[in-house]
Amino acid sequence: MSTAGKPTAKAEARAQAQRERILVAAQKCFVVHGFHAASMANIADTAGMSAGLIYRYFKGKNDIILAIIERQLEEARADVAKLHATSDLVAGIAEVFQQWQANDPNITSAALFLELTAEATRDPEIAAATHASDKVFRADLAAWFERSSKDGGLGVPKQEVDTRVLMLQCLIEGLAMRAISQPDLSVAQVKTALERFLPSLLSAQA
């Protein structure tokens, strides 16, 4: 029997499912309308629920945006945790690029990434959350680069790690831009470019 006043596991699971439903709907609205033009009514209509119900889970749009940033970080950290020295990063990045081009709702779209980046220049709270999230993600990438190959890492010399992480992030974020500005860019072309560039970036040699 659950403790009085404490939500049951079933209630917590339902609340989490409702939050996820709201976040998915909000992401779609933010991409279509932008953060400022998208209203709570838009999000409610897209989620198929009342605006009043959304306010049970989030105080307002900023709370939703902060939750999306947190959700993105969890997804990114999970992806890094799966990386090993033998990971096919070319195929992995190319697949994400293809999903960006298709506006796959199950991942953070390139358009949403740009919306978040722009909003961080205007809203100090969003900026702080974005910077904190990026710092954690960079630390995870750095740990993978520096970890020895026998422990699943790349064994990159410590003095090289920060530079390599920066280069990889610029590459991935640049491809997000390409998915929008160059919609006819093929996945095969992306793979060819990655195959030429990534080996030196991931090499343990300084």
Side-chain angles (χ1 to χ4, degrees):
M1 184 178 293
S2 62
T3 305
K6 183 179 179 181
T8 63
K10 186 175 180 180
E12 288 179 348
R14 175 173 172 74
Q16 183 57 39
Q18 291 285 67
R19 282 175 59 87
E20 184 66 16
R21 182 176 166 188
I22 294 165
L23 293 180
V24 169
Q27 287 192 180
K28 292 178 182 177
C29 290
F30 292 152
V31 169
V32 173
H33 304 290
F35 286 139
H36 291 285
S39 66
M40 293 297 275
N42 293 145
I43 296 170
D45 287 344
T46 304
M49 61 176 66
S50 68
L53 182 57
I54 291 179
Y55 282 112
R56 287 181 56 185
Y57 299 98
F58 299 99
K59 289 184 291 185
K61 278 200 297 184
N62 257 37
D63 263 16
I64 293 175
I65 295 170
L66 293 173
I68 287 173
I69 293 171
E70 183 179 344
R71 183 174 182 257
Q72 287 179 342
L73 177 60
E74 290 173 359
E75 291 172 357
R77 297 193 77 186
D79 288 340
V80 174
K82 297 173 188 173
L83 290 175
H84 295 281
T86 56
S87 295
D88 187 349
L89 206 55
V90 168
I93 294 175
E95 181 182 359
V96 171
F97 177 80
Q98 190 170 28
Q99 291 173 316
W100 281 334
Q101 284 189 316
N103 284 318
D104 187 335
N106 296 313
I107 67 167
T108 300
S109 71
L112 182 61
F113 168 73
L114 293 178
E115 278 287 334
L116 282 171
T117 303
E119 190 63 17
T121 68
R122 298 184 287 260
D123 187 307
E125 188 177 23
I126 302 300
T130 300
H131 296 163
S133 174
D134 183 67
K135 185 176 181 179
V136 171
F137 180 57
R138 279 188 283 114
D140 283 357
L141 279 177
W144 176 58
F145 270 95
E146 191 174 347
R147 203 161 46 241
S148 68
S149 56
K150 68 180 178 63
D151 292 324
L154 299 174
V156 171
K158 187 175 180 63
Q159 68 273 16
E160 278 282 306
V161 168
D162 287 347
T163 299
R164 304 281 188 95
V165 168
L166 176 60
M167 292 168 69
L168 181 58
Q169 284 191 289
C170 287
L171 170 66
I172 294 171
E173 290 169 7
L175 283 174
M177 290 286 292
R178 288 292 95 197
I180 294 173
S181 61
Q182 193 177 350
D184 60 343
L185 179 60
S186 72
V187 175
Q189 286 176 288
V190 170
K191 280 187 174 180
T192 298
L194 291 172
E195 285 164 353
R196 292 186 184 180
F197 178 74
L198 276 181
S200 59
L201 179 63
L202 303 180
S203 170
Q205 299 300 316

